[in-house]
Amino acid sequence: GQILRLVRAGPLGKNKQIFGSFFVLLSRESDFLVDIGAGVGQVLLQASYTTLCSSFGVEIRPDLIEVGKELQ
């Protein structure tokens, strides 16, 4: 699988075009996306809907984790 290093800063809304381009690269089931500072998991959800890759998110804020669980 591919190793893709994606550094982002700021809310997802400002970076949608950038993420769309990276999702094209995550096209195989052997690819894996890790989102550090995942927030509510918007990037992970988008990746799961648009790619074949597996994904994992890391978030330390309990309030964001709870909202993310509700979005699943």
XYZ file of all heavy atoms in Angstrom:
549
model
N 0.821 -1.200 0.000
C 0.000 0.000 0.000
C 0.854 1.248 0.000
O 2.057 1.193 0.163
N 0.206 2.337 -0.194
C 0.892 3.620 -0.229
C 1.045 4.196 1.169
O 0.210 3.979 2.023
C 0.099 4.631 -1.051
C 0.005 4.298 -2.506
C -0.577 5.440 -3.273
O 0.012 6.497 -3.327
N -1.735 5.227 -3.860
N 2.106 4.947 1.362
C 2.266 5.756 2.559
C 2.095 7.191 2.100
O 2.823 7.675 1.240
C 3.636 5.557 3.210
C 3.783 4.109 3.669
C 3.814 6.530 4.367
C 5.148 3.784 4.201
N 1.114 7.852 2.644
C 0.777 9.206 2.226
C 0.852 10.113 3.436
O 0.176 9.878 4.432
C -0.638 9.226 1.642
C -1.200 10.571 1.222
C -0.379 11.142 0.074
C -2.646 10.404 0.802
N 1.694 11.111 3.370
C 1.811 12.055 4.476
C 1.067 13.322 4.091
O 1.427 14.006 3.148
C 3.274 12.359 4.754
C 3.452 13.257 5.932
C 4.909 13.443 6.226
N 5.056 14.246 7.427
C 6.186 14.715 7.855
N 7.300 14.447 7.192
N 6.241 15.437 8.936
N 0.028 13.606 4.844
C -0.809 14.766 4.567
C -0.822 15.635 5.810
O -1.210 15.192 6.879
C -2.226 14.315 4.229
C -3.291 15.393 4.090
C -2.922 16.361 2.977
C -4.634 14.756 3.816
N -0.370 16.841 5.671
C -0.370 17.779 6.790
C -1.437 18.814 6.504
O -1.486 19.400 5.428
C 1.007 18.463 6.939
C 0.984 19.456 8.070
C 2.087 17.416 7.147
N -2.320 19.033 7.477
C -3.373 20.020 7.285
C -3.392 20.978 8.445
O -3.005 20.648 9.549
C -4.735 19.350 7.123
C -5.233 18.709 8.394
C -6.628 18.167 8.182
N -6.956 17.278 9.283
C -8.071 17.330 9.957
N -8.988 18.209 9.673
N -8.300 16.495 10.934
N -3.872 22.122 8.182
C -4.039 23.125 9.227
C -5.368 23.814 8.991
O -5.697 24.171 7.874
C -2.904 24.136 9.176
N -6.137 23.953 10.040
C -7.413 24.642 9.919
C -8.555 23.687 9.673
O -8.374 22.495 9.525
N -9.746 24.235 9.641
C -10.950 23.414 9.461
C -11.008 22.761 8.089
O -10.449 23.261 7.124
C -12.094 24.408 9.622
C -11.504 25.703 9.988
C -10.031 25.628 9.807
N -11.698 21.651 8.024
C -11.826 20.906 6.767
C -12.405 21.762 5.647
O -11.992 21.663 4.508
C -12.718 19.676 6.987
C -13.038 18.848 5.750
C -11.759 18.235 5.202
C -14.037 17.775 6.078
N -13.358 22.609 5.955
C -14.019 23.404 4.933
C -13.068 24.199 4.067
O -13.303 24.407 2.886
N -11.958 24.632 4.622
C -10.988 25.418 3.862
C -10.095 24.546 2.991
O -9.368 25.041 2.159
C -10.111 26.226 4.826
C -10.880 27.283 5.574
C -9.971 28.080 6.471
C -10.754 29.152 7.214
N -9.912 29.941 8.091
N -10.134 23.236 3.203
C -9.191 22.348 2.529
C -9.859 21.249 1.708
O -9.235 20.257 1.377
C -8.283 21.694 3.577
C -7.475 22.708 4.335
O -6.756 23.497 3.746
N -7.605 22.718 5.647
N -11.137 21.384 1.368
C -11.845 20.300 0.680
C -11.190 19.905 -0.634
O -11.095 18.733 -0.948
C -13.303 20.697 0.439
C -14.141 20.628 1.682
C -15.589 20.958 1.390
C -16.393 20.901 2.670
N -17.768 21.316 2.460
N -10.740 20.866 -1.402
C -10.114 20.562 -2.688
C -8.839 19.758 -2.488
O -8.575 18.803 -3.222
C -9.800 21.850 -3.458
C -9.238 21.614 -4.841
C -10.233 20.931 -5.765
O -11.418 21.191 -5.708
N -9.747 20.044 -6.594
N -8.056 20.100 -1.498
C -6.806 19.386 -1.220
C -7.106 17.936 -0.865
O -6.496 17.012 -1.380
C -6.036 20.074 -0.074
C -5.578 21.460 -0.519
C -4.852 19.227 0.380
C -5.033 22.325 0.588
N -8.084 17.713 0.022
C -8.399 16.360 0.440
C -8.958 15.542 -0.712
O -8.660 14.362 -0.825
C -9.371 16.359 1.622
C -8.710 16.790 2.895
C -9.099 17.947 3.531
C -7.682 16.047 3.443
C -8.473 18.355 4.691
C -7.049 16.436 4.605
C -7.456 17.599 5.232
N -9.756 16.133 -1.563
C -10.274 15.414 -2.718
C -9.156 14.863 -3.572
O -9.211 13.728 -4.046
N -8.102 15.637 -3.752
C -6.957 15.196 -4.541
C -6.238 14.036 -3.870
O -5.812 13.089 -4.523
C -5.977 16.357 -4.738
O -6.614 17.402 -5.438
N -6.082 14.078 -2.556
C -5.410 12.999 -1.849
C -6.244 11.721 -1.831
O -5.704 10.634 -1.885
C -5.054 13.407 -0.419
C -3.846 14.287 -0.357
C -3.968 15.623 -0.044
C -2.583 13.779 -0.623
C -2.853 16.436 0.002
C -1.458 14.584 -0.580
C -1.590 15.921 -0.261
N -7.556 11.843 -1.777
C -8.411 10.658 -1.768
C -8.266 9.871 -3.058
O -8.409 8.656 -3.060
C -9.876 11.031 -1.535
C -10.168 11.500 -0.136
C -11.233 12.343 0.102
C -9.394 11.106 0.933
C -11.524 12.776 1.384
C -9.664 11.527 2.224
C -10.733 12.363 2.443
N -7.966 10.537 -4.156
C -7.751 9.839 -5.423
C -6.562 8.888 -5.300
O -6.548 7.810 -5.876
C -7.521 10.854 -6.570
C -7.055 10.157 -7.830
C -8.784 11.635 -6.823
N -5.563 9.259 -4.500
C -4.379 8.425 -4.330
C -4.649 7.188 -3.475
O -3.935 6.207 -3.557
C -3.250 9.240 -3.674
C -2.744 10.434 -4.473
C -1.755 11.237 -3.637
C -2.109 9.992 -5.779
N -5.679 7.237 -2.642
C -5.999 6.130 -1.739
C -6.997 5.201 -2.416
O -8.154 5.121 -2.053
C -6.573 6.684 -0.431
C -5.651 7.597 0.361
C -6.416 8.288 1.472
C -4.470 6.817 0.912
N -6.528 4.478 -3.410
C -7.450 3.737 -4.269
C -7.428 2.228 -4.062
O -8.230 1.524 -4.655
C -7.150 4.048 -5.732
O -5.814 3.691 -6.035
N -6.526 1.729 -3.230
C -6.434 0.276 -3.035
C -6.834 -0.103 -1.614
O -6.680 0.686 -0.683
C -5.013 -0.190 -3.308
C -4.582 0.057 -4.742
C -3.181 -0.437 -4.937
N -2.305 0.270 -3.992
C -1.103 0.722 -4.295
N -0.617 0.536 -5.481
N -0.375 1.340 -3.405
N -7.302 -1.314 -1.449
C -7.667 -1.801 -0.122
C -6.458 -1.881 0.800
O -6.598 -1.838 2.015
C -8.344 -3.165 -0.223
C -9.723 -3.085 -0.833
C -10.411 -4.432 -0.879
O -10.047 -5.322 -0.094
O -11.316 -4.578 -1.707
N -5.264 -1.979 0.248
C -4.050 -2.055 1.063
C -3.587 -0.678 1.537
O -2.678 -0.588 2.365
C -2.931 -2.742 0.279
O -2.627 -2.004 -0.895
N -4.198 0.402 1.042
C -3.847 1.752 1.493
C -4.497 2.023 2.849
O -5.546 1.468 3.167
C -4.323 2.801 0.483
C -3.616 2.694 -0.850
O -2.493 2.168 -0.888
O -4.203 3.131 -1.853
N -3.857 2.878 3.648
C -4.337 3.142 5.000
C -4.176 4.634 5.303
O -3.126 5.204 5.069
C -3.523 2.318 6.003
C -4.156 2.234 7.351
C -5.156 1.308 7.596
C -3.759 3.064 8.368
C -5.747 1.226 8.846
C -4.341 3.000 9.613
C -5.338 2.072 9.859
N -5.222 5.236 5.837
C -5.220 6.657 6.190
C -5.278 6.791 7.705
O -6.132 6.185 8.348
C -6.433 7.349 5.571
C -6.716 8.789 6.018
C -5.609 9.716 5.539
C -8.063 9.245 5.519
N -4.355 7.566 8.275
C -4.376 7.883 9.700
C -4.552 9.387 9.821
O -3.799 10.152 9.229
C -3.078 7.441 10.410
C -3.108 7.847 11.876
C -2.862 5.952 10.272
N -5.560 9.803 10.579
C -5.835 11.225 10.786
C -5.544 11.556 12.247
O -6.281 11.162 13.142
C -7.292 11.537 10.447
C -7.608 13.032 10.493
O -6.684 13.837 10.716
O -8.786 13.377 10.310
N -4.436 12.258 12.480
C -4.061 12.689 13.825
C -4.748 14.021 14.075
O -4.596 14.954 13.305
C -2.532 12.856 13.958
C -1.792 11.595 13.512
C -2.157 13.281 15.374
C -2.052 10.383 14.345
N -5.494 14.101 15.165
C -6.316 15.284 15.410
C -7.557 15.210 14.554
O -7.929 16.137 13.838
N -8.229 14.060 14.622
C -9.320 13.742 13.706
C -10.586 14.555 13.924
O -11.473 14.546 13.076
C -9.653 12.253 13.808
N -10.686 15.242 15.049
C -11.912 16.001 15.307
C -13.091 15.056 15.402
O -13.044 14.060 16.116
N -14.155 15.336 14.671
C -15.336 14.460 14.685
C -15.254 13.378 13.607
O -16.171 12.594 13.451
C -16.644 15.270 14.543
C -16.799 16.224 15.709
C -16.714 15.998 13.223
N -14.161 13.341 12.860
C -13.943 12.275 11.891
C -14.430 12.559 10.489
O -14.637 11.642 9.704
N -14.597 13.816 10.131
C -15.102 14.155 8.798
C -14.208 13.627 7.688
O -14.705 13.095 6.695
C -15.256 15.663 8.657
C -16.344 16.251 9.512
C -16.346 17.770 9.439
O -15.330 18.393 9.173
N -17.488 18.372 9.692
N -12.904 13.757 7.861
C -11.976 13.269 6.832
C -12.072 11.756 6.717
O -12.100 11.204 5.613
C -10.530 13.712 7.149
C -9.527 13.036 6.225
C -10.414 15.225 7.057
N -12.167 11.077 7.848
C -12.258 9.616 7.843
C -13.557 9.143 7.192
O -13.551 8.178 6.416
C -12.160 9.086 9.269
C -10.868 9.453 10.001
C -10.971 9.101 11.471
C -9.684 8.791 9.354
N -14.652 9.821 7.498
C -15.926 9.457 6.878
C -15.880 9.662 5.369
O -16.325 8.809 4.601
C -17.072 10.275 7.485
C -17.486 9.891 8.897
C -18.487 10.899 9.444
C -18.071 8.497 8.919
N -15.335 10.779 4.949
C -15.231 11.057 3.515
C -14.360 10.019 2.828
O -14.697 9.528 1.748
C -14.682 12.468 3.278
C -14.638 12.870 1.831
C -16.011 12.990 1.205
O -16.966 13.374 1.868
N -16.105 12.674 -0.060
N -13.251 9.665 3.464
C -12.367 8.658 2.877
C -13.069 7.312 2.761
O -12.931 6.618 1.759
C -11.097 8.525 3.712
N -13.851 6.953 3.773
C -14.535 5.657 3.733
C -15.620 5.612 2.660
O -15.915 4.552 2.124
C -15.123 5.313 5.096
O -16.233 6.122 5.394
N -16.199 6.750 2.343
C -17.241 6.799 1.316
C -16.682 6.886 -0.102
O -17.362 6.553 -1.056
C -18.171 7.986 1.540
C -19.068 7.842 2.740
C -19.204 8.881 3.637
C -19.783 6.675 2.985
C -20.025 8.768 4.754
C -20.598 6.544 4.101
C -20.710 7.589 4.975
O -21.515 7.472 6.076
N -15.443 7.364 -0.237
C -14.929 7.638 -1.580
C -13.716 6.800 -1.980
O -13.255 6.926 -3.111
C -14.564 9.127 -1.727
O -13.592 9.466 -0.747
C -15.782 10.011 -1.563
N -13.179 5.988 -1.066
C -11.990 5.198 -1.389
C -12.160 3.768 -0.917
O -13.119 3.439 -0.225
C -10.718 5.780 -0.730
O -10.777 5.532 0.678
C -10.563 7.261 -0.997
N -11.202 2.930 -1.257
C -11.177 1.550 -0.783
C -10.295 1.376 0.445
O -10.211 0.295 1.007
C -10.647 0.630 -1.902
C -11.470 0.591 -3.176
C -10.732 -0.222 -4.235
C -12.840 0.005 -2.906
N -9.611 2.439 0.869
C -8.634 2.324 1.946
C -9.292 2.149 3.313
O -10.457 2.470 3.511
C -7.727 3.546 1.974
S -8.468 5.038 2.680
N -8.512 1.630 4.235
C -8.908 1.583 5.635
C -8.448 2.883 6.283
O -7.537 3.553 5.788
C -8.228 0.413 6.337
O -8.631 -0.795 5.759
N -9.068 3.247 7.406
C -8.661 4.487 8.050
C -8.790 4.380 9.562
O -9.524 3.533 10.085
C -9.497 5.656 7.536
O -10.872 5.439 7.780
N -8.064 5.252 10.238
C -8.038 5.285 11.695
C -7.824 6.728 12.121
O -6.991 7.423 11.557
C -6.883 4.405 12.201
C -6.786 4.336 13.698
C -7.609 3.492 14.411
C -5.885 5.123 14.378
C -7.523 3.418 15.790
C -5.788 5.062 15.756
C -6.619 4.202 16.465
N -8.575 7.171 13.113
C -8.445 8.539 13.592
C -8.007 8.589 15.039
O -8.364 7.724 15.839
N -7.228 9.606 15.373
C -6.774 9.829 16.741
C -7.252 11.213 17.168
O -6.983 12.202 16.482
C -5.231 9.760 16.838
C -4.765 10.050 18.259
C -4.726 8.416 16.353
N -7.985 11.261 18.271
C -8.485 12.531 18.809
C -8.437 12.455 20.330
O -8.749 11.411 20.902
C -9.913 12.797 18.333
C -10.519 14.087 18.829
C -9.675 15.316 18.514
O -9.459 15.613 17.330
O -9.217 15.974 19.478
N -8.036 13.554 20.982
C -7.927 13.538 22.443
C -9.071 14.274 23.131
O -9.269 14.108 24.330
C -6.576 14.113 22.923
C -6.402 15.570 22.496
C -5.422 13.253 22.422
C -5.203 16.262 23.126
N -9.836 15.065 22.392
C -10.935 15.804 23.016
C -12.176 14.920 23.133
O -12.759 14.530 22.112
C -11.269 17.050 22.205
C -10.254 18.158 22.371
C -10.649 19.417 21.648
N -12.038 19.802 21.881
C -12.652 20.772 21.195
N -12.006 21.423 20.241
N -13.908 21.072 21.453
N -12.597 14.612 24.363
C -13.752 13.725 24.555
C -15.034 14.235 23.889
O -15.818 13.427 23.382
C -13.913 13.673 26.073
C -12.584 14.030 26.624
C -11.983 14.985 25.629
N -15.242 15.540 23.855
C -16.463 16.070 23.240
C -16.496 15.784 21.741
O -17.533 15.413 21.186
C -16.621 17.564 23.519
C -15.431 18.406 23.055
O -14.279 17.918 23.130
O -15.656 19.553 22.628
N -15.363 15.905 21.076
C -15.306 15.615 19.643
C -15.427 14.112 19.371
O -16.054 13.702 18.382
C -14.016 16.159 19.032
C -13.847 17.677 19.063
C -12.509 18.076 18.477
C -14.989 18.364 18.340
N -14.870 13.310 20.254
C -14.986 11.862 20.104
C -16.461 11.440 20.174
O -16.918 10.626 19.364
C -14.152 11.135 21.177
C -12.663 11.393 20.936
C -14.449 9.636 21.190
C -11.760 10.949 22.075
N -17.192 11.978 21.117
C -18.612 11.629 21.255
C -19.424 12.033 20.029
O -20.262 11.272 19.554
C -19.199 12.247 22.526
C -18.699 11.609 23.798
C -18.908 10.097 23.827
O -20.027 9.640 23.508
O -17.954 9.377 24.148
N -19.188 13.234 19.521
C -19.891 13.672 18.306
C -19.528 12.763 17.138
O -20.381 12.356 16.358
C -19.573 15.146 17.981
C -20.139 15.538 16.624
C -20.104 16.069 19.065
N -18.250 12.412 17.025
C -17.806 11.529 15.947
C -18.464 10.166 16.004
O -18.832 9.599 14.978
N -18.643 9.632 17.204
C -19.313 8.333 17.349
C -20.760 8.415 16.852
O -21.278 7.467 16.269
C -19.300 7.895 18.799
C -17.939 7.423 19.271
C -17.997 7.036 20.744
C -16.652 6.592 21.259
N -16.694 6.260 22.698
N -21.405 9.539 17.085
C -22.787 9.710 16.634
C -22.877 9.787 15.111
O -23.908 9.444 14.537
C -23.402 10.952 17.262
C -23.590 10.847 18.771
C -24.039 12.140 19.411
O -24.465 13.050 18.680
O -23.978 12.228 20.643
N -21.834 10.252 14.459
C -21.836 10.389 13.001
C -21.655 9.061 12.292
O -21.937 8.958 11.108
C -20.732 11.346 12.555
C -20.887 12.804 12.949
C -19.659 13.598 12.518
C -22.144 13.392 12.330
N -21.149 8.045 12.977
C -20.858 6.761 12.327
C -22.061 6.185 11.714
O -22.990 5.770 11.873
C -20.236 5.776 13.293
C -18.844 6.148 13.656
C -18.184 5.124 14.578
O -18.842 4.263 15.127
N -16.900 5.234 14.733
